[in-house]
Amino acid sequence: MKKARLSSGRGTASRRIRCALLGCVLVILTAAAAGCGTVPEIKITPKPKIEGSSLYVKKVENLPDDFILGMDISSVLAEEASGVKYYGFDGKETDLFKLLSDNGVNYIRVRVWNHPFDKDGHGFGGGNNDIASAVEIGKRATANGMRLLVDFHYSDFWADPGKQMVPLAWKGMTIEDKSKALYEYTKDSLKQLRSAGVDVGMVQIGNETNGSFCGEKVWFNMQQLFSSGSKAVREVYPNALVALHFANPEQVTNYEDYSKKLAYYNVDYDVFASSYYPYWHGTLENLTKVLNKVTDDYGKKVMVMETSYAFTAEDTDFFGNTISDGGTVTKSYPYTVQGQANHMRNVIDTVANGLKAGIGVVYWEGAWITVGRNSYEENKQKWEKFGSGWASSYASAYDPDDAGKYFGGTAVDNQAFFDADGKALESLRVFNLVRYGNETEITVDALEDLELTADLNGEVLLPDKVNAVMTDDSKQPVDVVWNCTEEQIASMKAGGPGKHRITGKAGEREAVCNLNLVEFNYLKNGGFEDGTEDGWTVKQYGKADQLNVEDKKTDSLSGTWHYHFWSAAKNSVSFDLEQTVDNLPEGTYKFAISIMGGDGGKTNIYSYALVDGEEVGRKPMNISSYGNWDTETVEGIEISNGAVVTVGIHVECEGSGNGAWGKIDDAALNSQKS
Ligand code: CA
């Protein structure tokens, strides 16, 4: 199935007929064929195994010879202009394209912006990638036996799910004129590549076009633009694949929705491509599920168009990075050279074996390293002059609110396959070694950071083991000794809720425990955010018309859910909403709950706490008007071992004529310093 050409709708069928006819003509006019501007296709064949690497790589089975192992190096020309040099494993300066090719990379991806320059010709940065630089990069890729993947953003600067700005020259055009302009531009750009002899294997119509594209937000308009771009590709590079590219596979209905709309409008494309950054985009299992659905439903080829991972937490260009230590993103692998390789290997394995029609993986900007080690100021001069940072100050001419404000260097220097001096990292060999496997001796690669959430008022117990992440990505618990005294813990607790980084030693390695001190809520579903009454018991004494959990953010104290009551009739609201908890650690506790409402008439509302069935505390509460929340806390609830505590709110309203109504939210049972 993988190698078979998959049907892609009516557009492709008619194209096939045209190709078939053209084929007949070509048989007759073979001599003329070379003259009509076609470029010989590079046949992708695997390089022999690189021997002697220390990198652990488990073989990816069933990897087709022509599986796309790509790298986006769009910034390379700006990097080189800034003085960046690349060095092979032997420490000798080398051409980046040759080095990548030697290590098994077979596709180079390049982004293309329509006109990333201000009126004085200053580049917006991010490589200043227009079609001229794509031609340059394409020629070098072709010369080194790699095919080109052209990534048209159809914008004058970065296009992504948050931003799909129309090129300045197309601003204000009707959709018909814009479609025509996009077609002409695509055709003209691809002809420039063809004239330069560049072997283009795939063309993207748009970059991460989630729900908007080239300034259009309506699918009826977007699909016209996709189709115009696709048509141009078919005409100039008839053998190239047409890809559409989306992001956020973790938002589970996205791809189903996009692929359905593309089919509905009969957009002619071959590849449904996804970005996959593991620290944002969910699990590989989920990626597999959502992309296989696109193949199942519409027969499309699929691929990972962008991915990357960090080999270090360090920043080297004085401009902050997308991922680093202390962030809130998912850290699926250690930030090590081996971790980076394991990530890449696993993505390749998923696409090759998990996906039914997976054709490749492209690593994003694997060579975008720092332009200098000395200072921000020195680097900034280069970013401004050569466009080697993600954006220059000149970008304010086009994108004043984002790039024009936050311009600077590279945010992915710690996700490159090169160190800050330009020397290739061992992980670069993964593109070659996945084909053959390289199962070196399994050793400890790094220690897993320990994430510990503890009750501010309870006992904080630091575990005596942490996980060592092995080179094969398996885990083994190892002994750890923390550099943290009881006095230090006590002082952290005295500071209230907060996050603390504690270090320790496991053998020779430094261990890290990220301690999050919180007021632990011993109630289940305390804010009703489960969307059910889970954990709660309702005892009704009246006949309320509505007594249920409700999903309405504006009526909730926090989150989107709360507990709602209302009755049209007088004298009908009377209930207890309570929760019973056992197995609490011995100690002193407090119970808080909040209510708002109105039209209560004469009311009897109070929060309460019972220990082993005996009431130990009660706080009167009130409803007055919309948005006026009343919060009360029952304190000093003493719990001995084995005791059972019940906490809740009693609501009893006569009603003022319209019928009483109200909202209850944010119940919490916390331990309390005695
Ligand atoms: Ca950086």
Side-chain angles (χ1 to χ4, degrees):
M1 183 161 184
K2 194 159 291 161
K3 286 187 177 171
R5 182 172 172 86
L6 296 155
S7 152
S8 53
R10 201 192 303 157
T12 301
S14 61
R15 190 177 64 83
R16 267 192 203 141
I17 294 163
R18 284 201 305 274
C19 289
L21 290 171
L22 186 64
C24 296
V25 177
L26 286 178
V27 172
I28 303 159
L29 300 170
T30 41
C36 66
T38 54
V39 174
E41 258 179 48
I42 291 167
K43 185 169 165 33
I44 294 176
T45 48
K47 294 278 191 311
K49 181 181 174 181
I50 295 166
E51 298 294 345
S53 174
S54 58
L55 198 69
Y56 181 95
V57 181
K58 189 161 184 271
K59 184 183 176 185
V60 173
E61 303 293 342
N62 312 312
L63 198 60
D65 282 359
D66 62 351
F67 189 85
I68 295 170
L69 294 168
M71 198 183 297
D72 190 317
I73 50 167
S74 299
S75 61
V76 63
L77 302 180
E79 288 282 277
E80 289 173 344
S82 301
V84 168
K85 292 180 174 21
Y86 297 96
Y87 302 88
F89 300 100
D90 56 3
K92 287 186 185 147
E93 191 184 333
T94 180
D95 179 72
L96 177 64
F97 292 78
K98 182 177 185 311
L99 183 66
L100 296 182
S101 176
D102 287 349
N103 282 279
V105 173
N106 55 30
Y107 256 79
I108 293 296
R109 178 174 183 254
V110 63
R111 60 178 163 271
V112 179
W113 291 313
N114 286 40
H115 189 71
F117 302 95
D118 72 7
K119 60 179 172 32
D120 301 317
H122 297 119
F124 294 164
N128 298 340
N129 288 84
D130 59 1
I131 189 61
S133 49
V135 168
E136 208 48 48
I137 287 170
K139 277 158 69 177
R140 287 171 68 181
T142 301
N144 283 282
M146 298 179 288
R147 309 193 74 189
L148 193 71
L149 199 169
V150 184
D151 170 20
F152 286 114
H153 282 225
Y154 300 109
S155 185
D156 288 337
F157 209 35
W158 298 104
D160 57 45
K163 193 160 40 173
Q164 292 282 338
M165 289 168 68
V166 64
L168 219 51
W170 299 353
K171 208 174 171 181
M173 280 187 178
T174 62
I175 186 61
E176 287 72 24
D177 288 347
K178 198 191 275 185
S179 295
K180 195 158 173 284
L182 190 146
Y183 166 78
E184 297 291 350
Y185 168 78
T186 308
K187 198 161 173 174
D188 175 67
S189 299
L190 291 176
K191 277 181 173 174
Q192 291 185 43
L193 285 160
R194 195 177 64 182
S195 300
V198 176
D199 177 18
V200 172
M202 196 185 307
V203 181
Q204 272 180 249
I205 309 303
N207 187 75
E208 295 188 331
T209 49
N210 282 19
S212 66
F213 177 37
C214 196
E216 300 297 330
K217 289 178 176 152
V218 178
W219 265 87
F220 183 73
N221 292 346
M222 288 167 62
Q223 58 92 13
Q224 291 187 54
L225 299 177
F226 289 140
S227 294
S228 299
S230 173
K231 182 167 178 279
V233 179
R234 302 296 191 207
E235 289 172 9
V236 184
Y237 276 99
N239 295 327
L241 294 171
V242 173
L244 298 177
H245 174 205
F246 303 95
N248 303 105
E250 80 286 3
Q251 292 170 16
V252 289
T253 56
N254 270 13
Y255 289 4
E256 192 175 341
D257 181 45
Y258 304 153
S259 56
K260 189 175 171 181
K261 289 189 167 100
L262 292 166
Y264 176 81
Y265 289 114
N266 231 329
V267 174
D268 171 24
Y269 72 106
D270 306 303
V271 185
F272 188 102
S274 176
S275 290
Y276 179 71
Y277 294 101
Y279 37 89
W280 294 326
H281 290 158
T283 62
L284 283 169
E285 290 71 27
N286 176 68
L287 181 76
T288 304
K289 199 173 110 191
V290 296
L291 288 181
N292 274 343
K293 180 151 176 60
V294 176
T295 300
D296 285 343
D297 291 350
Y298 308 106
K300 295 298 174 186
K301 296 180 202 298
V302 289
M303 68 182 290
V304 167
M305 189 57 95
E306 291 183 14
T307 191
S308 65
Y309 204 72
F311 70 91
T312 174
E314 305 303 316
D315 168 55
T316 57
D317 77 338
F318 310 97
F319 181 81
N321 289 340
T322 306
I323 55 172
S324 61
D325 271 342
T328 53
V329 299
T330 312
K331 192 174 176 180
S332 329
Y333 305 88
Y335 297 153
T336 58
V337 169
Q338 181 67 58
Q340 183 187 35
N342 283 344
H343 157 73
M344 192 60 194
R345 185 264 165 208
N346 289 345
V347 175
I348 293 169
D349 186 46
T350 297
V351 175
N353 292 305
L355 298 182
K356 295 176 184 176
I359 59 166
V361 177
V362 179
Y363 197 92
W364 194 71
E365 285 283 13
W368 199 357
I369 58 174
T370 182
V371 293
R373 301 299 304 276
N374 296 329
S375 69
Y376 172 84
E377 279 309 319
E378 211 175 290
N379 288 355
K380 189 186 166 191
Q381 285 179 18
K382 293 180 182 173
W383 301 331
E384 291 284 292
K385 190 170 177 192
F386 303 109
S388 45
W390 87 271
S392 73
S393 64
Y394 306 113
S396 62
Y398 181 64
D399 181 16
D401 296 333
D402 185 16
K405 262 187 200 158
Y406 307 111
F407 57 87
T410 165
V412 291
D413 45 317
N414 65 331
Q415 300 189 57
F417 284 101
F418 296 87
D419 68 16
D421 299 318
K423 184 160 187 298
L425 301 173
E426 203 58 28
S427 46
L428 179 60
R429 301 196 202 265
V430 72
F431 295 91
N432 174 276
L433 295 177
V434 283
R435 291 192 180 280
Y436 308 99
N438 198 56
E439 300 195 13
T440 51
E441 188 193 347
I442 295 167
T443 55
V444 173
D445 181 43
L447 298 177
E448 190 173 56
D449 292 354
L450 192 71
E451 304 296 330
L452 185 68
T453 297
D455 188 352
L456 188 61
N457 299 310
E459 199 181 351
V460 175
L461 280 176
L462 298 175
D464 55 9
K465 300 263 187 198
V466 288
N467 275 331
V469 184
M470 312 304 286
T471 46
D472 69 345
D473 202 38
S474 65
K475 285 169 190 173
Q476 280 183 18
V478 292
D479 293 333
V480 61
V481 179
W482 299 105
N483 308 322
C484 187
T485 62
E486 284 193 20
E487 288 71 30
Q488 284 169 317
I489 296 265
S491 139
M492 290 173 195
K493 288 163 79 169
K499 290 180 176 174
H500 304 273
R501 189 172 190 267
I502 297 169
T503 59
K505 282 271 176 196
E508 289 304 301
R509 291 173 188 270
E510 186 186 77
V512 172
C513 174
N514 295 311
L515 174 65
N516 187 13
L517 288 174
V518 297
E519 280 212 296
F520 192 81
N521 189 356
Y522 289 90
L523 295 182
K524 182 180 181 186
N525 191 21
F528 307 96
E529 295 303 314
D530 286 5
T532 64
E533 288 179 12
D534 236 28
W536 294 94
T537 306
V538 185
K539 295 178 180 166
Q540 196 173 172
Y541 310 109
K543 280 179 285 185
D545 290 324
Q546 293 173 355
L547 206 53
N548 50 270
V549 290
E550 187 179 58
D551 183 13
K552 195 173 178 191
K553 191 172 196 295
T554 47
D555 287 0
S556 300
L557 184 54
S558 69
T560 63
W561 289 84
H562 58 266
Y563 195 82
H564 160 86
F565 63 88
W566 174 76
S567 194
K570 222 179 163 190
N571 288 332
S572 56
V573 174
S574 180
F575 65 93
D576 289 336
L577 175 68
E578 64 181 35
Q579 185 164 148
T580 297
V581 186
D582 53 16
N583 288 322
L584 284 175
E586 190 169 288
T588 310
Y589 291 80
K590 59 182 179 180
F591 167 63
I593 196 162
S594 299
I595 188 169
M596 73 137 164
D599 298 320
K602 193 180 170 206
T603 64
N604 179 27
I605 304 175
Y606 57 87
S607 63
Y608 58 88
L610 315 175
V611 175
D612 290 334
E614 293 287 322
E615 183 168 309
V616 296
R618 176 187 287 211
K619 277 285 175 84
M621 300 183 78
N622 284 301
I623 53 171
S624 49
S625 59
Y626 182 83
N628 221 339
W629 287 92
D630 183 18
T631 302
E632 289 294 345
T633 305
V634 178
E635 302 200 35
I637 307 167
E638 300 291 342
I639 308 282
S640 56
N641 258 336
V644 174
V645 62
T646 298
V647 290
I649 186 167
H650 174 80
V651 180
E652 195 180 336
C653 307
E654 274 192 3
S656 64
N658 293 329
W661 60 272
K663 315 282 176 179
I664 298 165
D665 207 356
D666 288 7
L669 180 64
N670 305 125
S671 70
Q672 184 182 6
K673 273 178 222 161
S674 36

